[in-house]
Amino acid sequence: MSFEHLLFDMDNTLYPASSAMDKGITRRMLECVADFFHCDMEEAVALRAEKIVHYSTTLEWLRAEGLTDVEGFLAHVHPSYEADELPPQPGLRDFLISINMPMSVLTNAPHEHADTVLGKLGIADLFEAVTDIRDAGFNGKPYPDAYMAALKKVGASVESTLFLDDMQKYTDGWVALGGTAVLIGSPNGKPLAEDAKSMIAARAANKSGKQGQTIRMSSIYELPRWLSRPQAISKPHTQEI
């Protein structure tokens, strides 16, 4: 199989997970948890760690608990200044251009966050489309509708698209659809529990009967070497290169 399109997650995939911006996003998300449950930050951390394995995102969890101010949550987690915490990524633009393939972005963040980050990195013009949490009806990855919304924008298919993400639960969703995913970096978060609605939906949405696969890479910069080895995807399994 040869791929015709690359679908990238953005945060901690296009730039390293060590970025200070990621820590800021997590902190502000936990502030929302603490405010919603009227608890301190330590309790918020423990509560989120317990519950998040059942939900695709913190937002899905809080909505299930009764949160109605979705836009307020997104505005707090992603303030206008957040990209100040993101260091430059020298060479990223030239690297993406060198791949010479159609590319798009699928993020569980809002579009304004994607616009800010891609603009700061100087790569916004390299992607055919950006699909955000609103495009997915606030049910992001690994809900199948999120992936399908991204594919619809560019006229691509699961079979012809290689999906790259740093979170295992999101690559698991793509693999459940029968696709090939690249799991970037480490650590990659916990897999979702069996009762997670998003994964149940992803498995049910696979009408092809095909088994997907996951490829592990330390960073996206390993991608060209893997793409040059078509034999690497001859059998469904998990590989490391």
Side-chain angles (χ1 to χ4, degrees):
M1 177 186 294
S2 60
F3 295 101
E4 300 172 358
H5 191 86
L6 300 177
L7 179 58
F8 285 93
D9 168 53
M10 186 177 66
D11 293 313
N12 300 335
T13 298
L14 290 174
Y15 61 85
S18 57
S19 165
M21 188 177 70
D22 181 62
K23 296 181 177 64
I25 290 171
T26 301
R27 184 188 69 253
R28 291 186 292 271
M29 204 172 290
L30 287 167
E31 288 171 352
C32 290
V33 172
D35 180 69
F36 183 80
F37 289 105
H38 307 289
C39 64
D40 60 31
M41 286 291 281
E42 185 176 345
E43 292 172 308
V45 170
L47 188 58
R48 180 173 179 266
E50 175 189 350
K51 298 293 186 179
I52 198 61
V53 295
H54 302 283
Y55 297 94
S56 60
T57 61
T58 300
L59 177 58
E60 185 193 9
W61 165 43
L62 293 181
R63 289 179 70 204
E65 296 286 352
L67 176 74
T68 57
D69 187 10
V70 173
E71 293 298 335
F73 172 89
L74 295 175
H76 183 81
V77 174
H78 299 290
S80 59
Y81 60 81
E82 65 178 341
D84 294 345
E85 302 167 330
L86 179 63
Q89 300 298 314
L92 176 60
R93 181 180 177 84
D94 288 344
F95 167 74
L96 292 174
I97 291 173
S98 73
I99 296 176
N100 194 30
M101 287 181 65
M103 298 179 290
S104 60
V105 167
L106 172 60
T107 176
N108 278 352
H111 218 293
E112 52 269 30
H113 170 70
D115 291 344
T116 298
V117 171
L118 296 177
K120 175 72 179 290
L121 295 175
I123 57 174
D125 61 308
L126 302 183
F127 298 97
E128 293 188 349
V130 174
T131 302
D132 79 335
I133 192 70
R134 295 190 190 94
D135 293 324
F138 297 109
N139 284 327
K141 303 170 290 184
Y143 277 99
D145 287 352
Y147 304 112
M148 295 308 174
L151 295 175
K152 184 178 180 180
K153 283 190 176 186
V154 297
S157 67
V158 172
E159 293 77 18
S160 65
T161 300
L162 184 66
F163 174 62
L164 302 94
D165 203 298
D166 68 295
M167 295 293 288
Q168 183 181 341
K169 61 183 177 181
Y170 301 147
T171 56
D172 283 350
W174 183 261
V175 169
L177 292 174
T180 300
V182 176
L183 184 57
I184 298 292
S186 178
N188 302 110
K190 294 180 179 180
L192 287 177
E194 286 295 318
D195 66 349
K197 293 180 180 179
S198 54
M199 285 301 298
I200 292 173
R203 290 190 290 268
N206 184 351
K207 305 302 183 182
S208 69
K210 294 180 180 178
Q211 181 181 356
Q213 68 167 336
T214 303
I215 311 297
R216 294 196 64 103
M217 296 183 190
S218 61
S219 80
I220 60 173
Y221 294 95
E222 297 179 24
L223 182 59
R225 181 162 63 95
W226 185 81
L227 287 172
S228 69
R229 295 163 50 190
Q231 71 276 10
I233 57 170
S234 59
K235 296 181 180 179
H237 65 294
T238 299
Q239 305 177 46
E240 293 192 30
I241 68 168

